[in-house]
Amino acid sequence: MSLAMLKEAKKQGIDLMFFTPHFYADETDPKRFIERRGLAASALQESIEANEGDYPSYLLGSEVHYYRGIGRSEDIASLCMGSSRYLLLEPPFRSWTPAFLDDVRELRDEQDLKVIIAHIERYLDQDKHLVAELLSEPGIYIQANAESFLERRTRRQALKMLESGKIDFLGSDCHNLDDRCPNLAPARELIEDKLGGAVLTRIDENSRQLVQEASGGKEVHVL
Ligand SMILES: [Fe+2]
C-alpha cells in the first residue's frame, strides 16, 4: 500500500513527502520511536528499490500528539521534521486549556522549536478564545489537511482561513488508498480555482523553507 500511495502522490506532482507516523508519549519514548521508524523506513526503501516505479523522495518526521508538560520534555526536538527545528504537533482532541497554549509557547521560547499545529480544521469547535489566541500567536505555524478543502462541509471555512493568511502549510495526511488517500492535487486545483495562484505560491514558499531546513543535505532519499 505504501508503494502505491507513493506512486499516486508522485502522479499528483509531489516530489518530496514527509512521513509523519504518530508519536504518543504514553506508548513509547522518542528513542524507541526513532528506532522503529528507522526499521520501517528501511523496509520501505528496500521495497522501493525492488519495485520499479516513479516515486517521490521522502524525509522522516513525526506527528507528536500533545501531552501535558511537552514544553519541558528534554528529547522532544529529536522528533522534528528531518534535521529541522519544525515540530508537527497534534493538539488535544478533548477540551483545550490555557496549559496547552503555555506548552506550545514553551516549545517555541525555551526549546527554540518551530511548532506546526496539525490539521487545524479539526479544532474549530474548541474554545474560541484559545483558538484565536493560537492562530494569532507569532512564530507558530498552522497546517490544514487537503481534505478540509475537498469536503463541502468544511470548504468555506478552510478557504476563508487560507485566504486570510492563517494557514501556513497544506498536508494530505494520507493514511491509505481509499478514504484517506493522497489528495493534494485536487485540493490545490480547487484552491487555485477559488482563490487564485498567489496563495499557493505563499504555501509553497513555506514548504520550500521547511524542506531546506529538514533535508540538511544527506537525509533526502532521492530515488
Ligand atoms: Fe493527526
Side-chain angles (χ1 to χ4, degrees), residues 3-89:
L3 293 183
M5 287 169 73
L6 283 167
K7 282 185 199 167
E8 174 56 27
K10 182 75 180 183
K11 226 191 271 174
Q12 292 190 21
I14 305 300
D15 294 317
L16 186 143
M17 279 179 101
F18 281 98
F19 297 162
T20 58
H22 291 282
F23 173 84
Y24 298 110
D26 57 352
E27 288 177 6
T28 184
D29 58 69
K31 199 169 159 273
R32 273 194 296 166
F33 173 86
I34 289 167
E35 273 169 20
R36 261 190 83 196
R37 186 186 62 181
L39 290 175
S42 306
L44 179 63
Q45 181 65 30
E46 267 177 40
S47 300
I48 286 169
E49 283 163 18
N51 290 274
E52 242 178 70
D54 214 2
Y55 303 102
S57 311
Y58 60 87
L59 284 165
L60 305 183
S62 61
E63 179 179 1
V64 179
H65 191 66
Y66 171 78
Y67 56 94
R68 190 85 186 257
I70 189 175
R72 286 176 300 285
S73 275
E74 270 175 16
D75 39 9
I76 209 71
S78 63
L79 299 174
C80 283
M81 309 288 262
S83 56
S84 77
R85 303 292 292 176
Y86 286 90
L87 184 81
L88 182 62
L89 181 68

Side-chain angles (χ1 to χ4, degrees), residues 22 63 90 93 118-119 122-123 173 175 180:
H22 291 282
E63 179 179 1
E90 180 174 61
F93 288 117
H119 39 59
R122 292 192 197 168
Y123 305 100
D173 204 356
H175 282 56
R180 300 190 67 181

Side-chain angles (χ1 to χ4, degrees), residues 141-156:
Y141 301 86
I142 305 292
Q143 181 261 324
N145 283 355
E147 191 189 16
S148 65
F149 296 89
L150 297 169
E151 292 262 331
R152 279 183 169 278
R153 192 171 47 82
T154 47
R155 179 179 298 166
R156 222 165 66 107

